[in-house]
Amino acid sequence: MTRSHYRDYVLDSAGNIVSGASVRIEDPLTDDLIAETLYTADTGITTVANPITSDTNGMFEFFLDSPKRVQIDVSASGFSAGRQVMDLVDAASLRGT
């Protein structure tokens, strides 16, 4: 099974890394956390909690079992919150297979 994958970095307006940010993976229609399980890798063995916390490099990533529209809501103490909606697709779709 090829899972949908998303990886990004939390940066401030000057491009500096923001570690320890809270990253909520939400349903864009309700602003609630999505019900689907988030995984740390394509293997689907280890799950990750939602919200995710950005690491020391500001990075966060997750995998989903299937393509889905999600809203990513990022917040950190001392920074303005950010939000974006996107459609996650599986890697096979990107390859056209």
Side-chain angles (χ1 to χ4, degrees), residues 22-26 71-75 81-84:
S22 175
V23 181
R24 292 173 48 96
I25 314 307
E26 304 171 338
Q71 175 172 280
I72 298 178
D73 192 350
V74 179
S75 62
R83 175 179 283 174
Q84 72 183 75

Side-chain angles (χ1 to χ4, degrees), residues 1-5 39 41-44 63-66 89-91:
M1 167 187 273
T2 302
R3 290 182 167 77
S4 297
H5 176 236
Y39 300 98
D42 192 37
T43 58
F63 293 80
L64 293 172
D65 282 332
S66 59
V89 298
D90 60 44

Side-chain angles (χ1 to χ4, degrees), residues 24-36 38 50 64 68-73 83-86:
R24 292 173 48 96
I25 314 307
E26 304 171 338
D27 180 320
L29 299 177
T30 65
D31 293 341
D32 293 330
L33 295 176
I34 62 170
E36 289 79 4
L38 304 179
N50 188 6
L64 293 172
K68 181 167 186 70
R69 175 168 279 199
V70 297
Q71 175 172 280
I72 298 178
D73 192 350
R83 175 179 283 174
Q84 72 183 75
V85 175
M86 65 191 56

